[in-house]
Amino acid sequence: MSEFLSRLNPEQAEAAGTINGPVLVLAGAGTGKTRVITFRIAHMLSIGIAPEQILGMTFTNKAAREMRERLAQLVDPGVASRVTLGTFHSFCIRILRREATKLGYLPGFTIADDSDQQGLLKQAVGNAGFSTREGFPLAEVQAQIGKWKNRLLFPKDAKKFAETSYEEDCAIVYEYYQELLELQNSLDFDDMLLLVHKLFTEFPEVLAKYQDRYRYLLIDEYQDTNAAQFTIVKLLVGETCNLCVVGDDDQSIYSWRGADISNILNFPEHFPGAKVVKLEQNYRSTTSILNAANAVIGSNANRHEKKLWSDLGIGDKVQVVKTASGEAEAEFIAGMIQQLHESEHYAYKDFAILYRSNHLSRELEQSMRRNRIPYRLVGGQEFYKRREIKDAVSYLKLLVNPHDDQSLLRILGTPPRGLAAKAVEQLKIGRATTHTPMVDQLGLEEFRKTLPPKAARAAEELDETFRLYREKFQEPGALAAKVTSFLRDVGYLDGLQRIYKDLNDSMKRRENVDEFINAIAQFEQREQEPQTLEAYLESFALLEESDRTEEDDAGGDAVTLLTVHASKGLEFPVVFCVALERNLFPHERAIEEGSLEEELRLFYVAITRARKKLFITRAARRLQRGMLQPAMPSPFLELLGDDVAEFPSPDDLLRPASDESVRKAFAEIFKMLDKRNRD
């Protein structure tokens, strides 16, 4: 046994030490899956496997960073840096940068973000002869196209598989949408997987090259893979099938994103001869919390059997608390946080409040403010989705990809420069008749002749600035300085006050753009080699909600408010899971569709975020459309018997909250907890 395997428990060591052939590691919540993956890689390196032959794929940038940092602590950092670790999308984009010309794309392709896709879809709906006002909501069409791409269906295939007239119409829109993407040399996120699959199936020599390079594959969070990811993995591992996947079917909560739980449930059938290793020792939570989690998830029939256990002690039983109303629930939670903060010296950052849907945060936020409790809300407007940041990025994308008409249309009047509706109309005509990218038309005399003198001068200046900086950005390095200079010379920085008339608003947005430039500087500092603008834009396109600036993170000592979905992968000493009521948790849509198993897995995820204390709350009445309506308890609460939970419901909690009633309720609950601890 190598030094790395000797530092793991027996099940972890078995998972990390089985190198050849397919391995399924069923890693229950808090059982140390990241430790297993990093120690497995370290062990592989120690027995002579070349780092370049190892590919590890995760689902978030944060997980990939954590994995790389841990690996660098176990082995030589230089060796660790040669292991390929990243998300599925970052891996696919790396391949496409090298190979996309085989599919007809130019090397400088850009990645369309959500707003770009919406703009292209709106145009595609119009080109197809439909209207967004006539049963074609863009979000639904976008979701349908995403489903087809995740099933590896191009437009011609989507037409064959369309089951309704609505889907047939969506397939027509899909065809126009894909043509617009290709015309602008752009990809959307689903294209990354779709096109890599096309490369692997249509160009066997490309597949063989990557099979030869990556002899050993590790996939984290395997329960979250969709059909396209599964197929790409299946192709990559080939006949040698040195594949290790780590996941937990009990935490499969992303079917709405296309995740297919059958990938992990049927792994032994997909990969015959697979070894299955179960990790059941939990290093996070007390036994009482795990007993509640096991009681809940054990009700699901469609799962790999496993049972979490811990040697961290019994701990407090889960508290299931009923309050008079949603407002009383929020006040109860605020009061309990203050009580534990003062009496047991928990920091505010030790608390998390989890809810099934974002709208439930309102009363909780109000209560935090009323009680002067610092908090951070996860899932508000992200820094990188602010308008001024997206405008700055559109300017930069045009330097890399002149075919990106969508970005030009976004910034043409930002700030105002006289290039209004008439100029846009002429650009679209030129694009349709000559196929010349819009940004290149700015430099054409025949285009400028169609404009008033002031607008013509603006077009010429814009064209000259783009051409000048396109040359300057050819050389890697000094990105932050060049971006600052470009945004100033193109008129964006000084033009913010003309875009946002209010002085305070424009100053705040200028500060945000400055912070964006700081992020570019940090990107340069993190990398060892001088970086290109293309490399930065690629990293920007793959940013996730977990990639936050310090400012956006709200930092410091604060209670965290977030949805259960957003809490996956996190842990807190004290957790409040709120609104366990019918139609809220489980969600009304899940009840209607009869898809309660995933909702139950979501509840399991909520329970297993808690390390020491877990409170589950519900209200007897809750505001609905301005009226207090009776709220029925969640059927999930019936799974929590007296053996795993306590149900303290003093009369005070059933009346509208007041300072005195809340104090009495806390006293009753703490009396029960003290008695249990003494027993």
Side-chain angles (χ1 to χ4, degrees):
M1 182 177 291
S2 74
E3 60 164 312
F4 298 111
L5 300 186
S6 66
R7 293 158 63 181
L8 303 174
N9 71 34
E11 292 76 23
Q12 291 174 334
E14 183 181 11
T18 306
I19 303 303
N20 297 312
V23 182
L24 168 61
V25 182
L26 292 168
T31 56
K33 71 178 180 65
T34 304
R35 180 178 175 85
V36 169
I37 293 172
T38 51
F39 272 71
R40 177 187 172 88
I41 296 173
H43 171 65
M44 292 166 71
L45 295 171
S46 74
I47 61 175
I49 293 174
E52 290 82 5
Q53 293 185 328
I54 302 172
L55 169 62
M57 287 195 276
T58 69
F59 273 82
T60 66
N61 296 324
K62 181 180 177 183
R65 283 196 301 270
E66 182 182 358
M67 210 173 287
R68 187 171 297 284
E69 288 165 2
R70 289 199 192 185
L71 183 61
Q73 293 171 358
L74 296 175
V75 302
D76 179 87
V79 174
S81 68
R82 290 157 52 198
V83 176
T84 301
L85 296 173
T87 64
F88 268 95
H89 286 94
S90 65
F91 170 72
C92 287
I93 206 72
R94 179 181 300 191
I95 291 178
L96 291 172
R97 285 291 173 208
R98 297 172 183 152
E99 315 287 353
T101 53
K102 293 181 174 65
L103 300 175
Y105 287 84
L106 298 172
F109 66 79
T110 47
I111 300 166
D113 64 18
D114 201 57
S115 61
D116 294 331
Q117 292 172 47
Q118 291 278 313
L120 291 171
L121 273 172
K122 188 173 182 180
Q123 190 176 340
V125 169
N127 291 350
F130 302 122
S131 168
T132 54
R133 293 190 297 272
E134 297 171 1
F136 268 86
L138 293 181
E140 289 184 18
V141 179
Q142 185 177 7
Q144 180 60 56
I145 291 173
K147 288 177 184 176
W148 278 324
K149 290 189 176 185
N150 285 335
R151 290 167 57 194
L152 301 172
L153 300 177
F154 282 92
K156 65 180 188 325
D157 306 309
K159 289 179 181 178
K160 296 175 186 175
F161 285 91
E163 297 179 352
T164 64
S165 59
Y166 171 74
E167 288 188 3
E168 289 173 358
D169 291 343
C170 283
I172 296 171
V173 174
Y174 178 15
E175 186 171 18
Y176 281 103
Y177 169 71
Q178 203 64 18
E179 286 177 359
L180 287 169
L181 276 172
E182 292 172 9
L183 182 68
Q184 299 190 23
N185 199 36
S186 291
L187 315 179
D188 66 18
F189 282 90
D190 297 317
D191 281 331
M192 297 181 200
L193 301 170
L194 182 69
L195 295 177
V196 165
H197 177 263
K198 185 176 183 180
L199 270 170
F200 285 172
T201 52
E202 294 188 3
F203 299 89
E205 71 279 8
V206 173
L207 175 61
K209 177 169 68 173
Y210 290 101
Q211 284 177 333
D212 184 61
R213 174 166 183 177
Y214 299 114
R215 302 290 185 87
Y216 300 89
L217 268 68
L218 298 93
I219 313 297
D220 188 20
E221 302 287 7
Y222 188 68
Q223 77 281 350
D224 294 335
T225 53
N226 60 29
Q229 290 158 340
F230 166 77
T231 307
I232 289 171
V233 169
K234 186 89 169 164
L235 287 168
L236 263 178
V237 296
E239 294 182 3
T240 57
C241 204
N242 294 327
L243 170 66
C244 175
V245 305
V246 183
D248 182 7
D249 49 305
D250 290 336
Q251 296 184 75
S252 179
I253 58 173
Y254 294 118
S255 65
W256 49 279
R257 288 185 187 170
D260 186 350
I261 193 174
S262 70
N263 290 346
I264 191 168
L265 291 178
N266 299 331
F267 185 88
E269 288 74 42
H270 293 154
F271 301 96
K275 173 179 280 192
V276 179
V277 182
K278 296 181 183 180
L279 306 183
E280 297 171 297
Q281 182 176 359
N282 177 285
Y283 294 91
R284 175 189 300 161
S285 307
T286 62
T287 297
S288 291
I289 291 170
L290 297 182
N291 286 344
N294 289 328
V296 164
I297 203 62
S299 301
N300 266 354
N302 198 26
R303 61 187 290 264
H304 289 288
E305 185 64 36
K306 52 191 170 300
K307 188 173 183 179
L308 296 180
W309 62 275
S310 168
D311 59 8
L312 298 177
I314 295 294
D316 297 333
K317 272 191 175 183
V318 174
Q319 304 294 299
V320 182
V321 178
K322 176 184 176 184
T323 63
S325 64
E327 182 182 8
E329 177 186 55
E331 285 297 305
F332 164 77
I333 291 169
M336 183 62 77
I337 288 172
Q338 289 289 38
Q339 180 84 9
L340 290 170
H341 176 66
E342 294 167 6
S343 66
E344 300 192 26
H345 309 295
Y346 282 98
Y348 287 121
K349 65 183 178 183
D350 292 335
F351 298 93
I353 306 174
L354 311 184
Y355 34 82
R356 174 63 179 83
S357 302
N358 271 309
H359 74 272
L360 292 166
S361 71
R362 184 187 60 81
E363 287 183 318
L364 296 163
E365 287 185 77
Q366 289 177 342
S367 184
M368 295 296 110
R369 287 196 291 268
R370 270 197 304 270
N371 291 276
R372 298 183 179 179
I373 297 173
Y375 71 93
R376 59 183 290 263
L377 181 68
V378 174
Q381 186 185 26
E382 296 174 46
F383 177 82
Y384 292 106
K385 288 187 177 178
R386 292 169 181 164
R387 177 184 165 188
E388 61 273 21
I389 305 302
K390 294 175 76 67
D391 289 340
V393 170
S394 291
Y395 274 106
L396 298 178
K397 285 165 75 173
L398 281 165
L399 291 173
V400 170
N401 180 15
H403 293 260
D404 191 346
D405 297 339
Q406 209 64 27
S407 288
L408 181 69
L409 293 174
R410 181 182 181 98
I411 58 89
L412 203 56
T414 308
R417 46 173 62 92
L419 297 170
K422 184 178 179 181
V424 171
E425 182 183 353
Q426 291 298 323
L427 288 170
K428 288 181 177 178
I429 291 171
R431 184 55 143 148
T433 56
T434 69
H435 305 296
T436 304
M438 291 183 182
V439 73
D440 288 345
Q441 292 181 52
L442 299 177
L444 299 178
E445 185 68 27
E446 52 266 38
F447 166 70
R448 294 203 297 270
K449 283 179 180 177
T450 66
L451 306 177
K454 182 180 177 181
R457 284 196 301 274
E460 185 176 15
E461 290 171 1
L462 198 56
D463 174 67
E464 289 175 353
T465 307
F466 275 121
R467 291 180 186 278
L468 173 65
Y469 277 92
R470 205 164 280 140
E471 287 186 17
K472 288 188 176 184
F473 277 101
Q474 288 297 313
E475 292 295 321
L479 281 184
K482 285 190 285 195
V483 167
T484 303
S485 178
F486 168 65
L487 292 178
R488 183 186 63 244
D489 289 353
V490 85
Y492 182 63
L493 292 182
D494 294 335
L496 284 167
Q497 193 168 339
R498 286 188 287 136
I499 304 169
Y500 308 101
K501 305 299 184 184
D502 181 81
L503 180 60
N504 289 332
D505 188 22
S506 65
M507 288 178 64
K508 183 175 180 181
R509 291 178 188 269
R510 172 60 189 264
E511 290 171 356
N512 288 339
V513 175
D514 290 341
E515 184 60 31
F516 168 67
I517 295 170
N518 291 340
I520 296 176
Q522 289 174 341
F523 168 78
E524 290 185 276
Q525 292 165 7
R526 284 197 304 269
E527 305 298 327
Q528 296 179 351
E529 302 293 332
Q531 293 298 303
T532 63
L533 180 60
E534 183 181 89
Y536 175 73
L537 289 175
E538 185 176 297
S539 75
F540 177 87
L542 297 174
L543 282 172
E544 300 152 354
E545 188 174 346
S546 57
D547 299 307
R548 297 175 167 274
T549 63
E550 290 183 9
E551 173 200 9
D552 199 42
D553 196 26
D557 190 18
V559 177
T560 302
L561 277 66
L562 71 171
T563 65
V564 183
H565 280 101
S567 75
K568 187 169 177 292
L570 304 177
E571 59 182 72
F572 302 89
V574 185
V575 168
F576 295 87
C577 184
V578 307
L580 260 291
E581 296 149 30
R582 186 179 293 273
N583 294 334
L584 289 179
F585 203 169
H587 195 277
E588 181 178 15
R589 185 172 60 251
I591 295 174
E592 290 173 353
E593 296 174 355
S595 55
L596 290 178
E597 286 205 350
E598 182 156 324
E599 290 289 296
L600 200 60
R601 293 195 292 269
L602 193 60
F603 187 34
Y604 171 82
V605 167
I607 292 171
T608 53
R609 299 312 94 197
R611 289 170 50 197
K612 296 182 179 179
K613 296 181 186 293
L614 173 62
F615 295 86
I616 297 171
T617 63
R618 73 176 181 92
R621 294 180 299 166
R622 196 172 292 275
L623 276 172
Q624 294 181 30
R625 298 180 178 86
M627 301 282 291
L628 266 178
Q629 302 288 349
M632 298 297 293
S634 168
F636 292 166
L637 295 178
E638 297 176 13
L639 305 174
L640 299 172
D642 293 338
D643 55 329
V644 299
E646 290 179 330
F647 299 78
S649 294
D651 289 342
D652 304 281
L653 286 177
L654 301 179
R655 297 199 297 267
S658 67
D659 289 344
E660 183 60 29
S661 67
V662 170
R663 276 196 292 272
K664 287 182 179 178
F666 294 153
E668 182 67 23
I669 290 172
F670 276 99
K671 189 186 300 180
M672 294 174 68
L673 294 178
D674 288 342
K675 181 178 184 301
R676 177 171 182 81
N677 290 336
R678 286 197 302 273
D679 293 344

